[in-house]
Amino acid sequence: GHLVVDISQGALPAILPFLREAFHLSYAAAGTIILAANLTSSIIQPLFGNLADRTARRWLLPLSAFVSGLGIALTGVAPSYAAVVVLAVVSGLGIAAYHPEGYKSASHVAGDRKATGLSIFAIGGNLGMALGPPMITVLVAGFGLRGSLWMVAPGLAVAALLTAAMPALYSESSERESAVTAADGRRTMVGAMALLILVVTLRSWTQLGFTTYIPFFYIDLLGADPRVVGSLLFVFLGAGAVGTLIG
């Protein structure tokens, strides 16, 4: 599920050069699409985290997997730039809804070795981010921008899989639910959390800058074929998956 949700997130920067050509966008307009997607996928995520803290909402897992894929799938057939921005927001909402409940569920079923289990869960997202660019590039190169419609297929498949697994997720996690609730009274270390947020912000700032604008550098200044973007982003984001595994 994490892999498929983040495939949608990784695919967006790779389809940007094609969208820019179709709608004659400036660099700022192209960057705004990424801004819209990340505002919803990141800034709103604590709201879903608050919901996940209060009670289990496992139904969010299949729904968000489908919504994240649907948003990116429809960008290729969007009638206008405004519609692309709205679809980026829709996909971002799916991504935001999946992660808190996904991490909570992964923690419940990881057993005693939670750090190892959650690292494996995180790698799923890293791999999805890396696989998204070549997938969307192959589809758009082969079928035109309408090829993006095929991006809904992974979301549909994993939504069905998560729905089928729902009873098992509930039974696995129910015994541990009370233990999580009992830990709610622990002291929140505001300074440490603020430092972590700062580090993650700087890291994300750098990564988003690379994934959004380095493809345009290769295309516009080095004269590269837009189809090379998927491979470039796969190498860059795939290195993140390797780094997570080593870490």
Side-chain angles (χ1 to χ4, degrees), residues 10-238:
L12 188 57
I15 200 175
L16 272 186
F18 302 98
L19 292 172
R20 187 189 63 158
E21 183 178 348
F23 294 107
H24 309 291
L25 303 178
S26 65
Y27 290 130
T32 299
I33 297 172
I34 299 294
L35 172 66
N38 281 276
L39 280 177
T40 47
S41 66
S42 299
I43 302 298
I44 296 177
Q45 209 170 123
L47 297 178
F48 289 103
N50 186 47
L51 290 175
D53 275 339
R54 292 175 183 276
T55 182
R57 286 179 168 83
R58 305 281 186 257
W59 54 268
L60 276 175
L61 297 178
L63 178 63
S64 57
F66 171 71
V67 169
S68 64
L70 181 66
I72 193 68
L74 293 176
T75 54
V77 294
S80 65
Y81 170 70
V84 171
V85 174
V86 170
L87 289 167
V89 168
V90 169
S91 183
L93 284 172
I95 293 165
Y98 183 88
H99 281 85
E101 193 64 48
Y103 271 99
K104 181 180 178 181
S105 300
S107 176
H108 285 322
V109 300
D112 295 332
R113 302 189 66 190
K114 292 192 182 299
T116 301
L118 290 176
S119 294
I120 294 170
F121 180 77
I123 288 169
N126 291 139
L127 287 175
M129 291 281 288
L131 290 172
M135 281 181 62
I136 195 75
T137 301
V138 167
L139 290 170
V140 172
F143 304 101
L145 272 172
R146 287 183 173 272
S148 68
L149 288 170
W150 288 99
M151 293 296 290
V152 78
L156 271 174
V158 81
L161 182 63
L162 285 166
T163 300
M166 202 74 69
L169 283 176
Y170 269 111
S171 62
E172 287 283 348
S173 63
S174 58
E175 295 179 2
R176 301 184 181 92
E177 201 79 45
S178 59
V180 173
T181 304
D184 286 347
R186 292 177 182 172
R187 181 172 60 93
T188 299
M189 294 183 286
V190 177
M193 181 62 77
L195 181 59
L196 280 172
I197 291 172
L198 175 62
V199 171
V200 172
T201 299
L202 293 174
R203 169 259 189 193
S204 297
W205 190 2
T206 305
Q207 177 170 322
L208 285 172
F210 270 103
T211 57
T212 304
Y213 290 111
I214 289 297
F216 291 135
F217 174 79
Y218 271 80
I219 294 168
D220 295 344
L221 297 182
L222 301 184
D225 190 312
R227 289 172 294 184
V228 79
V229 167
S231 301
L232 287 171
L233 294 177
F234 172 76
V235 171
F236 177 70
L237 295 169

